[in-house]
Amino acid sequence: MAETQTPTMPGGVIAHLNPSDASAAAEFYKRAFGAVELSRIPAQDGKRLMHCHLAINGGALLLADNFPESGYPTLAPQGFSLLMMTDDVDAAYQRAIDAGATSVMAPQQMFWGDRYAQVTDPFGYLWSLDQAAAQ
């Protein structure tokens, strides 16, 4: 029997999202942010995902569908955003827009010195894109 190897998780805090369609979200994050899918565990119904592990921009993003029948209903995202550091915020912003994200704030130079933008993905999650000021 072949051994199944689970991809290693990076340290720190890892976002675990429950979008309205985890498979579609994984595909969007691949197109929009260059995510790489490391693992996927389908649910018994063959339609939803119990777990999806993406490597994205040097970190991890976990996805799972909602299971209302088990007490995990679909809820609209609120009260948080996802921050992705990048070397080129203009290119990252345009890639996300081209993939189907909606612009919230076009790239601009911010008062703290960084170049910054915001987009909302098709699943309602707010992404902040930040290019640190040159030191």
Side-chain angles (χ1 to χ4, degrees), residues 90-115:
D90 293 88
Y93 170 85
Q94 193 59 54
R95 181 178 182 170
I97 295 299
D98 291 347
T102 302
S103 179
V104 174
M105 178 190 300
Q108 56 189 276
Q109 205 62 35
M110 301 306 290
F111 65 90
W112 64 85
D114 291 2
R115 193 150 176 79

Side-chain angles (χ1 to χ4, degrees), residues 25-91:
E27 295 309 312
F28 173 79
Y29 298 142
K30 291 175 193 178
R31 289 190 316 275
F33 303 121
V36 175
E37 188 171 311
L38 300 178
S39 66
R40 175 182 289 236
I41 301 172
Q44 289 180 337
D45 64 14
K47 297 175 185 169
R48 296 176 291 178
L49 293 180
M50 290 179 61
H51 174 77
C52 183
H53 178 181
L54 301 176
I56 183 167
N57 197 40
L61 180 63
L62 304 180
L63 305 174
D65 279 299
N66 297 291
F67 293 85
E69 69 277 13
S70 297
Y72 296 98
T74 301
L75 301 172
Q78 58 183 346
F80 70 94
S81 64
L82 301 162
L83 172 65
M84 187 170 85
M85 299 301 295
T86 180
D87 292 333
D88 186 344
V89 77
D90 293 88

